[in-house]
């Protein structure tokens, strides 16, 4: 979700961030308009003006629509900004067009989550010429010029996935697992893989586990992920003991193939993002775990950074971004906020609901009503 290796240094992030609810997303190509959240007067951060946000797509994960957009709008409005949040829908040209619109309109800060690092870097160069600071949100533009990056400790995400697989297979010496990874162009996917391998590689080397195959999936395409897993599964004679899937979308595609073969719930599958579908699969026992990333913290850290940068207060921005992400393409460290992810097993699903990321009504219907009741989810 490759041969590049990045070094992440732990970030210390202030603990005053809390979690809240989710919403929906829509997109247009104009760079302004119906997706704007207006703030009539400066609030907590004392900032003002417009911040442009470009999210990458909606096909690979429900998070961008359900979590990031409304949480960014709320966090930026709380800092006094008018927030215009758009989605490029995986289209590099649309991403560039949206950025051009934001830059020409003179936004105070540009926050971008590029699907393609090269496109992000090109946008950053234009923004820099215009004197507009850029924050990389969730995904960095390797080789770019953005001075700040806000995300999660993505190697840690992978470590949680790898450890979950090691735990699930601990009583099956020599068990074979498959890794279905994210897009090879997405640096986060590389970090997830690095984290997984930090746990799993020693087990493979010692012979405790066997890696059947590791396969990145272009564009985080869930359908392609399912097809690819099915080919691996069949090529290995239908013998797979576990699947490390890089996110909930890919996990769902894998589970569909396992279900066709009567193996759903019998083979542990990892995920990530704590989506409603992922949480339901975890409660059904078809998905072993997911990873909860408190996106509201990510949004709030980005908004606070934007407020500092809009006022030209780099000292305040540096006090927020206390971590580092090394960019090997131009051999520089990007000042970063790296937040902490959490493993979610079935017994932990209530945490995601209680903190407002998913409503009980979204995950507790039909066959899961009794399971939710037993977990205290209502």
């Amino acid at each position: 979700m490759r041969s590049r290796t990045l070094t992440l240094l732990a970030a210390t992030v202030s603990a005053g961030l809390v979690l809240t609810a989710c919403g929906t997303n829509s997109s247009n190509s104009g760079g302004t308009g119906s997706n704007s959240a207006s703030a009539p007067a400066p609030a907590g951060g004392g900032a003002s003006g417009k911040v442009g946000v470009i999210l990458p797509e909606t096909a690979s994960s429900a998070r961008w629509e359900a979590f990031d957009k409304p949480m960014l709008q709320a966090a930026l409005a709380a800092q006094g900004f008018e927030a215009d949040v758009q989605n490029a829908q995986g289209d590099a040209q649309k991403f560039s067009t949206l950025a051009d619109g934001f830059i020409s309109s003179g936004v105070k800060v540009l926050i971008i989550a590029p699907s393609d690092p090269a496109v992000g870097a090109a946008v950053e160069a234009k923004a820099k010429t215009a004197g507009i600071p850029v924050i990389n949100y969730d995904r960095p533009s390797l080789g770019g010029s953005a001075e700040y990056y806000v995300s999660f400790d993505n190697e840690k995400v992978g470590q949680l996935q790898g450890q979950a697989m090691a735990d699930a297979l601990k009583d099956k010496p020599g068990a074979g697992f498959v890794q279905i990874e994210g897009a090879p162009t997405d640096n986060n996917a590389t970090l997830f893989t690095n984290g997984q391998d930090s746990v799993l590689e020693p087990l493979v080397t010692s012979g405790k586990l066997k890696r059947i195959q590791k396969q990145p999936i272009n564009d985080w395409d869930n359908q392609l992920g399912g097809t690819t897993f099915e080919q691996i599964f069949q090529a290995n004679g239908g013998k797979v003991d576990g699947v490390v899937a890089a996110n909930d979308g890919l996990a769902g595609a894998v589970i569909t193939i396992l279900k066709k073969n009567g193996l759903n719930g019998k083979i542990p599958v990892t995920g990530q993002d704590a989506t409603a579908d992922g949480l339901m699969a975890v409660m059904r026992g078809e998905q072993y775990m997911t990873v909860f990333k408190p996106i509201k913290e990510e949004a709030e850290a980005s908004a606070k950074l934007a407020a500092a940068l809009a006022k030209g207060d780099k000292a305040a921005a540096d006090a927020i971004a206390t971590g580092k992400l090394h960019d090997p393409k131009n051999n520089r460290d990007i000042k970063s906020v790296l937040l902490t992810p959490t493993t979610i097993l079935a017994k932990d699903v209530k945490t995601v609901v209680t903190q407002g990321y998913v409503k009980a009504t979204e995950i507790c219907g039909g066959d899961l009503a009794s399971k939710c009741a037993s977990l205290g989810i209502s």
Side-chain angles (χ1 to χ4, degrees):
M1 28 165 328
R2 329 172 313 222
S3 59
R4 295 193 308 243
T5 302
L6 301 183
T7 301
L8 291 176
L9 304 179
T12 302
V13 181
S14 56
L17 303 173
V18 294
L19 307 173
T20 191
C22 56
T24 58
N25 184 26
S26 61
S27 175
N28 63 52
S29 59
T32 60
S34 62
N35 286 340
S36 298
S38 298
S48 62
K50 181 184 286 187
V51 171
V53 181
I54 310 176
L55 300 177
E57 39 80 20
T58 56
S60 71
S61 176
R63 64 162 286 189
W64 304 109
E65 177 177 344
F67 303 151
D68 295 87
K69 180 193 173 184
M71 291 175 180
L72 279 162
Q73 287 177 321
L76 287 164
Q79 293 296 327
F81 290 115
E82 177 188 353
D84 191 349
V85 182
Q86 301 288 329
N87 196 299
Q89 298 298 345
D91 185 327
Q93 182 57 54
K94 183 173 182 178
F95 195 102
S96 297
T97 300
L98 288 169
D100 288 345
F102 283 137
I103 291 168
S104 65
S105 69
V107 292
K108 296 291 186 180
V109 179
L110 186 59
I111 299 174
I112 63 172
S115 294
D116 184 333
V119 174
V123 165
E124 289 159 22
K126 291 181 182 179
K128 188 172 184 178
T129 298
I132 297 172
V134 178
I135 299 169
N136 279 169
Y137 178 83
D138 200 77
R139 298 176 177 181
S141 300
L142 298 183
S145 56
E147 294 188 36
Y148 296 93
Y149 170 59
V150 181
S151 188
F152 295 86
D153 183 338
N154 289 312
E155 280 200 7
K156 180 64 174 178
V157 171
Q159 288 169 4
L160 295 178
Q161 293 171 327
Q163 188 59 56
M165 186 54 54
D167 292 344
L169 298 179
K170 64 183 178 181
D171 295 327
K172 297 186 70 174
F177 66 92
V178 175
Q179 287 169 272
I180 300 295
E181 305 293 358
T185 55
D186 181 355
N187 184 65
N188 284 358
T190 297
L191 297 176
F192 300 147
T193 302
N194 291 345
Q196 294 163 13
D197 287 349
S198 71
V199 177
L200 295 171
E201 194 62 42
L203 299 175
V204 171
T205 300
S206 69
K208 291 181 180 179
L209 295 179
K210 175 186 176 184
R211 178 185 288 109
I212 297 169
Q213 190 168 330
K214 179 195 297 183
Q215 184 62 50
I217 303 299
N218 290 337
D219 300 322
W220 290 90
D221 186 317
N222 294 331
Q223 183 174 353
L224 177 60
T227 300
T228 301
F229 172 70
E230 186 167 28
Q231 292 169 346
I232 296 169
F233 178 81
Q234 291 175 346
N236 206 52
K239 176 62 175 172
V240 172
D241 297 301
V243 184
V244 181
N247 73 355
D248 288 349
L250 291 172
V254 167
I255 290 166
T256 297
I257 303 306
L258 293 176
K259 190 175 295 186
K260 283 175 56 177
N261 291 275
L263 294 172
N264 53 307
K266 299 177 182 178
I267 293 175
V269 180
T270 72
Q272 177 195 178
D273 287 336
T275 62
D277 285 344
L279 294 170
M280 288 190 288
V282 169
M283 288 194 292
R284 289 190 179 106
E286 295 179 329
Q287 186 170 320
Y288 185 74
M289 59 84 77
T290 186
V291 178
F292 176 44
K293 301 186 296 187
I295 293 167
K296 185 169 184 286
E297 294 185 12
E298 187 178 21
E300 289 184 343
S302 299
K304 289 178 180 179
L305 266 179
L309 294 173
K311 292 182 284 188
D313 191 345
K314 291 199 70 175
D318 291 351
I320 296 166
T322 57
K324 295 178 184 178
L325 176 80
H326 186 67
D327 181 350
K329 279 201 168 184
N330 51 17
N331 194 29
R332 72 184 183 107
D333 290 330
I334 307 171
K335 298 169 185 176
S336 304
V337 178
L338 301 173
L339 299 157
T340 303
T342 305
T343 294
I344 298 294
L345 304 174
K347 64 182 179 61
D348 308 306
V349 171
K350 183 178 180 180
T351 299
V352 185
V353 178
T354 300
Q355 295 188 7
Y357 278 80
V358 176
K359 297 177 181 178
T361 53
E362 294 179 81
I363 63 173
C364 289
D367 64 311
L368 289 173
S370 60
K371 181 66 174 180
C372 282
S374 71
L375 293 172
I377 301 172
S378 60

